[in-house]
Structures are given as C-alpha cells and as structure tokens.
Amino acid sequence: MSMAITMVTNMLVLLAMTQLYLTTGQDSTCKDLDSLNIASWHLHYLYNDSSEATADTFTDRFVEQFQDYFPEGDTRCPFGPDYGGRSYQYICFLGGGKGPDGEGVGPWDDPQHNFFIPLKYVTETLGWATINRAGLSLMFHMNTGCMADDHALRAFWAGEKRLVYPENLPCNTPGTGCAMIPACGCDLPLPGGVEDTCENCIPNGGDGR
C-alpha cells in the first residue's frame, strides 16, 4: 500500500473517530462536548513564493474534479471565511491570499487559500486533496463554532504542519459564525484571547436562528 493511500486511510479513520476527539480549550460552553456539532468543513492549503503556482494549479484541479458539487456559474462562496453553517449545500472557494509583504493574514502565518466543504462531501474531498496536494501543506478542519480549537486541537494536516494563531479567530461559542463581515466586525485578537468570542457571532454557523 502506498504512503499516500495509507495516509488517506489513517485520516479517514480519524474522521470516523471525530466525536471522540472533541476535547477543547476555550470557554465553558466549548468544553461541553454535548454542545458541539460539526456543521461543515474547511480545506486550507498553504503556500509561499516558490509554491504559489502549485497552489493555483491545485485550486484549478480541485474545482475541475468536483465541478458538479459547486454552484452553477460561480465557484466563489457567497459568504466569508468565518461562516461555518450547514444550510449551504455546495462546495465553494473562499479565497484567501497574502498580506502586502507576502505574509499570511488573520490566523495564518503563511499565505493560504481555502474551500468550504459541506458534510456530505468531506470524505471524498479529503481523500482526493491529500493524494493530489503536490507537496502543499493542507489543513482540514471541522466547523463547530469553537474556532480556536477547530483550527488547533481538531485540525487534520497533510504535509508539513504550519503555524496558526488561533487567537486571531472571532467565534468561540458552539454553533456560531458570521457570513460576510471580516472577523465578524470585531478587532482581533479579542481581549480574552481564545476564551473570548466576538459579540457579532450568530447561531447556526452564521445563518442565524
């Protein structure tokens, strides 16, 4: 069995064991395992100046591979990267990019792009992306509303694990998120760090009640 197939098999086993892995480090509600539900997933792929063209190729190949799962006519998401709800049933491209000096933005030390993945497509996309990452570092994480630990303790990596700053994420309350406002309209990091949550994070991953 090849190393890539072995890696995919091991990661799929980890996905099946996810509910056993929901240990957290934020506020008391995020520590309550019964309050955590996986609404969707994000697939991030990180790059630098020398691998930016590889990342662009990965974007194109991923869209081509899963074209039938994207909304017709547009691959981009109609929401921002802090949305994690379950009502949107298409894969879509969340974008990403880099800062003015080539650095990462938000919680990322490196430039990155990412896709929104509905629950029903998680196994298929994870397997394909892991095999076809072409040397890129991939990070695949669930969306529970407890963003700090979703990006840290509960993140799955393929390739080199890179530095992430979970204090630069806005929502740390189960089931919350926001749709379009950058950082949900809050200045980051929040005063209470990963134990704090932005007042503009709303229920159902950003869908609202």
Side-chain angles (χ1 to χ4, degrees), residues 7 10 45 50-51 67 81 95 100 103 122 127-129 138 149 154 161 166 178 191 198:
M7 181 182 295
N10 290 340
Y45 44 109
S50 63
S51 60
Q67 185 65 59
E103 75 281 10
V122 61
W128 185 93
L138 305 185
D149 278 354
R154 289 188 287 273
K161 185 176 181 180
C178 65
C198 175

Tab-separated table of all heavy atoms in Angstrom, residues 7 10 45 50-51 67 81 95 100 103 122 127-129 138 149 154 161 166 178 191 198:
chain	number	residue	atom	x	y	z
A	7	MET	N	-1.876	7.234	4.198
A	7	MET	CA	-2.194	8.487	4.875
A	7	MET	C	-3.690	8.787	4.799
A	7	MET	O	-4.325	9.172	5.778
A	7	MET	CB	-1.407	9.643	4.259
A	7	MET	CG	-1.663	10.992	4.923
A	7	MET	SD	-0.743	12.328	4.119
A	7	MET	CE	0.934	11.815	4.488
A	10	ASN	N	-5.638	6.471	7.101
A	10	ASN	CA	-5.497	6.875	8.501
A	10	ASN	C	-6.323	8.113	8.809
A	10	ASN	O	-6.944	8.219	9.873
A	10	ASN	CB	-4.024	7.131	8.829
A	10	ASN	CG	-3.198	5.869	8.852
A	10	ASN	OD1	-3.746	4.779	8.994
A	10	ASN	ND2	-1.896	6.001	8.706
A	45	TYR	N	-5.098	25.261	2.078
A	45	TYR	CA	-3.811	24.840	1.537
A	45	TYR	C	-2.879	26.044	1.515
A	45	TYR	O	-3.204	27.112	1.043
A	45	TYR	CB	-3.937	24.174	0.166
A	45	TYR	CG	-4.850	24.860	-0.821
A	45	TYR	CD1	-4.342	25.531	-1.939
A	45	TYR	CD2	-6.238	24.803	-0.664
A	45	TYR	CE1	-5.186	26.136	-2.862
A	45	TYR	CE2	-7.087	25.400	-1.580
A	45	TYR	CZ	-6.552	26.079	-2.667
A	45	TYR	OH	-7.389	26.685	-3.569
A	50	SER	N	7.588	30.336	-3.688
A	50	SER	CA	8.039	29.286	-4.600
A	50	SER	C	6.954	28.261	-4.927
A	50	SER	O	7.070	27.536	-5.913
A	50	SER	CB	9.267	28.567	-4.015
A	50	SER	OG	8.934	27.925	-2.801
A	51	SER	N	5.912	28.207	-4.100
A	51	SER	CA	4.851	27.216	-4.330
A	51	SER	C	3.508	27.855	-4.692
A	51	SER	O	2.494	27.159	-4.764
A	51	SER	CB	4.686	26.321	-3.099
A	51	SER	OG	4.342	27.076	-1.958
A	67	GLN	N	-16.449	19.747	-9.876
A	67	GLN	CA	-17.270	20.766	-10.514
A	67	GLN	C	-18.760	20.560	-10.273
A	67	GLN	O	-19.518	21.524	-10.080
A	67	GLN	CB	-16.996	20.788	-12.024
A	67	GLN	CG	-17.713	21.904	-12.773
A	67	GLN	CD	-17.237	23.273	-12.348
A	67	GLN	OE1	-16.059	23.580	-12.474
A	67	GLN	NE2	-18.133	24.108	-11.829
A	81	PRO	N	-14.918	33.821	5.233
A	81	PRO	CA	-14.258	32.648	5.804
A	81	PRO	C	-14.689	32.296	7.223
A	81	PRO	O	-14.310	31.222	7.718
A	81	PRO	CB	-12.779	33.040	5.778
A	81	PRO	CG	-12.788	34.534	5.844
A	81	PRO	CD	-13.981	34.951	5.049
A	95	GLY	N	-11.375	31.723	-1.186
A	95	GLY	CA	-10.269	32.630	-1.463
A	95	GLY	C	-9.190	32.540	-0.404
A	95	GLY	O	-8.897	31.478	0.122
A	100	PRO	N	0.631	42.426	2.361
A	100	PRO	CA	1.446	43.250	1.448
A	100	PRO	C	2.903	42.829	1.373
A	100	PRO	O	3.587	43.109	0.387
A	100	PRO	CB	1.298	44.662	2.029
A	100	PRO	CG	0.866	44.460	3.452
A	100	PRO	CD	0.047	43.219	3.444
A	103	GLU	N	3.142	37.852	3.631
A	103	GLU	CA	2.851	37.070	4.827
A	103	GLU	C	1.406	36.574	4.820
A	103	GLU	O	0.592	37.000	4.000
A	103	GLU	CB	3.094	37.909	6.086
A	103	GLU	CG	2.023	38.961	6.386
A	103	GLU	CD	2.118	40.233	5.570
A	103	GLU	OE1	2.906	40.284	4.590
A	103	GLU	OE2	1.400	41.194	5.902
A	122	VAL	N	-17.237	15.549	2.588
A	122	VAL	CA	-15.976	15.632	3.319
A	122	VAL	C	-15.047	14.459	3.022
A	122	VAL	O	-13.844	14.646	2.785
A	122	VAL	CB	-16.227	15.784	4.840
A	122	VAL	CG1	-16.978	14.612	5.413
A	122	VAL	CG2	-14.913	15.959	5.577
A	127	GLY	N	-9.891	12.771	0.747
A	127	GLY	CA	-9.060	11.762	0.113
A	127	GLY	C	-8.367	12.288	-1.130
A	127	GLY	O	-7.150	12.123	-1.300
A	128	TRP	N	-9.120	12.944	-2.002
A	128	TRP	CA	-8.541	13.450	-3.245
A	128	TRP	C	-7.478	14.510	-2.951
A	128	TRP	O	-6.379	14.477	-3.536
A	128	TRP	CB	-9.628	14.032	-4.139
A	128	TRP	CG	-9.117	14.459	-5.484
A	128	TRP	CD1	-9.098	13.718	-6.632
A	128	TRP	CD2	-8.528	15.730	-5.816
A	128	TRP	NE1	-8.532	14.448	-7.655
A	128	TRP	CE2	-8.176	15.679	-7.185
A	128	TRP	CE3	-8.271	16.890	-5.089
A	128	TRP	CZ2	-7.568	16.755	-7.827
A	128	TRP	CZ3	-7.653	17.960	-5.730
A	128	TRP	CH2	-7.322	17.894	-7.096
A	129	ALA	N	-7.779	15.449	-2.072
A	129	ALA	CA	-6.848	16.540	-1.792
A	129	ALA	C	-5.548	16.026	-1.177
A	129	ALA	O	-4.456	16.516	-1.500
A	129	ALA	CB	-7.502	17.557	-0.863
A	138	LEU	N	-1.632	20.897	3.615
A	138	LEU	CA	-3.087	21.008	3.697
A	138	LEU	C	-3.522	20.983	5.160
A	138	LEU	O	-2.958	20.244	5.962
A	138	LEU	CB	-3.778	19.847	2.986
A	138	LEU	CG	-3.451	19.552	1.530
A	138	LEU	CD1	-4.358	18.444	1.028
A	138	LEU	CD2	-3.591	20.789	0.671
A	149	ASP	N	-10.121	26.031	18.712
A	149	ASP	CA	-9.752	24.626	18.764
A	149	ASP	C	-10.046	23.896	17.464
A	149	ASP	O	-9.397	22.897	17.149
A	149	ASP	CB	-10.459	23.924	19.928
A	149	ASP	CG	-9.728	24.162	21.245
A	149	ASP	OD1	-8.637	24.760	21.228
A	149	ASP	OD2	-10.243	23.751	22.297
A	154	ARG	N	-8.295	20.322	16.793
A	154	ARG	CA	-9.092	19.412	15.968
A	154	ARG	C	-8.736	19.462	14.486
A	154	ARG	O	-9.463	18.938	13.651
A	154	ARG	CB	-10.583	19.732	16.152
A	154	ARG	CG	-11.120	19.344	17.509
A	154	ARG	CD	-12.632	19.503	17.575
A	154	ARG	NE	-13.050	20.882	17.625
A	154	ARG	CZ	-13.175	21.594	18.748
A	154	ARG	NH1	-12.880	21.036	19.904
A	154	ARG	NH2	-13.580	22.842	18.720
A	161	LYS	N	3.076	20.561	9.034
A	161	LYS	CA	2.191	21.352	9.876
A	161	LYS	C	2.770	22.745	10.042
A	161	LYS	O	3.924	22.911	10.413
A	161	LYS	CB	2.017	20.678	11.241
A	161	LYS	CG	1.016	21.381	12.146
A	161	LYS	CD	0.827	20.599	13.440
A	161	LYS	CE	-0.183	21.282	14.349
A	161	LYS	NZ	-0.377	20.523	15.612
A	166	PRO	N	-4.564	30.828	16.694
A	166	PRO	CA	-5.995	30.685	16.945
A	166	PRO	C	-6.618	31.875	17.668
A	166	PRO	O	-7.843	32.053	17.616
A	166	PRO	CB	-6.083	29.411	17.794
A	166	PRO	CG	-4.729	29.242	18.386
A	166	PRO	CD	-3.773	29.798	17.393
A	178	CYS	N	-20.212	33.865	11.297
A	178	CYS	CA	-20.783	35.060	10.663
A	178	CYS	C	-20.564	34.935	9.161
A	178	CYS	O	-19.691	34.180	8.714
A	178	CYS	CB	-20.173	36.344	11.220
A	178	CYS	SG	-18.408	36.549	10.881
A	191	PRO	N	-10.034	40.602	23.562
A	191	PRO	CA	-9.413	40.845	24.872
A	191	PRO	C	-9.144	39.572	25.672
A	191	PRO	O	-8.129	39.460	26.346
A	191	PRO	CB	-10.436	41.738	25.581
A	191	PRO	CG	-11.144	42.441	24.471
A	191	PRO	CD	-11.222	41.447	23.355
A	198	CYS	N	-16.510	36.965	19.737
A	198	CYS	CA	-16.995	38.235	19.200
A	198	CYS	C	-18.507	38.350	19.401
A	198	CYS	O	-19.252	37.390	19.192
A	198	CYS	CB	-16.644	38.311	17.723
A	198	CYS	SG	-17.300	39.749	16.861
